[in-house]
Amino acid sequence: MTFHPVPPDSRRNSGFFLATLVGAMAIGLVLSPVRPVDAGTPGSTGDTTADRELGQTDFTHTMFDFGGAAALSGLSGVAVDSSGHLYVSDSINNRILGWTSAGAFANGDPAQLVIGQPDFYSYRCDDGTAVGDVEGTGADSLCGPEGSAVDGAGNLYVADTIDSRVLEFARPFLSGVTSGQSAAAVFGHHGSFVATTCNDGGASASNLCDPRGLALDAAGNLYIADSGESRVLEYNTPLNPSSGETGAGDTIADAVFGQNGIFGTRGAMMALPWATSAGEAANPCAVRSVSPSTQTEIFTYPTPTTIACSSTTRR
């Protein structure tokens, strides 16, 4: 096979032609008028706006696990009230979903109620729309909810973990709304519905930090696992001011478990009671207290409002 190199003059002429072509295109772009393209509206022609949506319910929603009332992501809590209403903490979607009947629930059933979002296809953290909300944060918003609990009257309590608060919703299925319901009470943030800072103002009986677990006893006393402050707080009948219990009828904690019984401390290790004041050998308040990062601890406070435990701590 004989190789025939391109003559130098041919290469030179090709380069000249290419340069001329590029120059002409540049001049054409400068001299040609630019036709403006209107954004338009969905459904119109001759614009750059999308006309249909696949994968979401409309153009304004971007729910990543698209499924609306039947979708769940990052479950972190379940509660059933005395009427059989089922509540599920859909943490990643920043909402609580409610089903009318836990007993009649079937595979794939859509929820009948959503709390923490304005509709079933919204999912953002603090996406509230109520009057008085601040940048979406208010009585109708949630951000990373975890634990939930119900009292004997059917009121729902939600640990709004990332917002460092607990919200109480008055009998959600009797509210008359299926989305965007506002809470009736807030625990933490000194009673503010629009604050979100962990431990704002310092550890006290009026604030929370990263609350996770909730429980209520038969009397209506509320217990909150205040995870970020390494303690459990008790609220004596917060919805019943006439119960006769000390501090009843408000959202200020009345007792603290851990932190040596002091509301204003928040050490990394929970200072748990070890012995009763009577010094019983078989101590119902005896617990192990170790660093949460190294071991798991289980502790029990039988009838905590009536049994007094000393603040002695075993390390």
Side-chain angles (χ1 to χ4, degrees):
M1 179 181 293
T2 304
F3 175 71
H4 299 284
V6 179
D9 289 342
S10 298
R11 293 196 296 269
R12 186 182 302 112
N13 291 338
S14 298
F16 175 77
F17 173 76
L18 179 61
T20 302
L21 177 61
V22 171
M25 292 174 62
I27 293 173
L29 290 174
V30 171
L31 297 179
S32 299
V34 177
R35 182 174 65 87
V37 179
D38 295 330
T41 57
S44 61
T45 60
D47 58 40
T48 59
T49 300
D51 299 302
R52 288 182 174 85
E53 171 74 25
L54 296 177
Q56 297 292 338
T57 185
D58 56 36
F59 289 108
T60 63
H61 289 84
T62 57
M63 193 174 194
F64 70 89
D65 58 355
F66 178 75
L72 292 169
S73 184
L75 310 185
S76 55
V78 176
V80 180
D81 66 18
S82 58
S83 297
H85 299 134
L86 170 66
Y87 299 98
V88 177
S89 299
D90 187 14
S91 186
I92 291 180
N93 287 325
N94 301 298
R95 64 185 187 175
I96 301 293
L97 292 182
W99 282 263
T100 303
S101 175
F105 181 83
N107 289 340
D109 275 354
Q112 288 79 49
L113 179 147
V114 60
I115 292 173
Q117 296 293 346
D119 55 60
F120 284 103
Y121 291 95
S122 296
Y123 70 94
R124 294 182 180 87
C125 165
D126 289 330
D127 201 16
T129 58
V131 176
D133 286 3
V134 176
E135 296 182 350
T137 302
D140 63 331
S141 69
L142 293 171
C143 188
E146 295 202 7
S148 60
V150 291
D151 62 20
N155 300 306
L156 174 68
Y157 299 76
V158 177
D160 189 15
T161 304
I162 295 178
D163 283 338
S164 292
R165 63 185 185 176
V166 169
L167 297 179
E168 179 264 323
F169 297 86
R171 298 189 290 182
F173 276 95
L174 297 180
S175 66
V177 296
T178 58
S179 63
Q181 180 178 349
S182 292
V186 57
F187 298 81
H189 300 307
H190 306 276
S192 170
F193 279 105
V194 298
T196 61
T197 304
C198 161
N199 193 38
D200 51 350
S204 73
S206 299
N207 60 25
L208 297 166
C209 181
D210 197 29
R212 296 178 183 270
L214 303 175
L216 288 113
D217 61 22
N221 300 310
L222 172 66
Y223 303 86
I224 298 176
D226 191 15
S227 177
E229 294 181 337
S230 301
R231 63 185 186 174
V232 172
L233 297 179
E234 176 190 344
Y235 301 78
N236 293 336
T237 60
L239 303 187
N240 183 11
S242 60
S243 69
E245 293 196 34
T246 302
D250 60 36
T251 59
I252 300 173
D254 300 294
V256 56
F257 302 88
Q259 301 305 332
N260 219 19
I262 301 173
F263 283 108
T265 60
R266 58 190 304 261
M269 182 179 291
M270 195 171 179
L272 300 171
W274 172 248
T276 62
S277 55
E280 298 172 352
N283 188 338
C285 296
V287 296
R288 294 179 61 206
S289 180
V290 295
S291 172
S293 64
T294 58
Q295 294 187 46
T296 300
E297 59 187 10
I298 299 175
F299 55 97
T300 303
Y301 295 89
T303 320
T305 57
T306 60
I307 296 180
C309 301
S310 72
S311 59
T312 302
T313 304
R314 176 173 148 179
R315 302 285 182 179

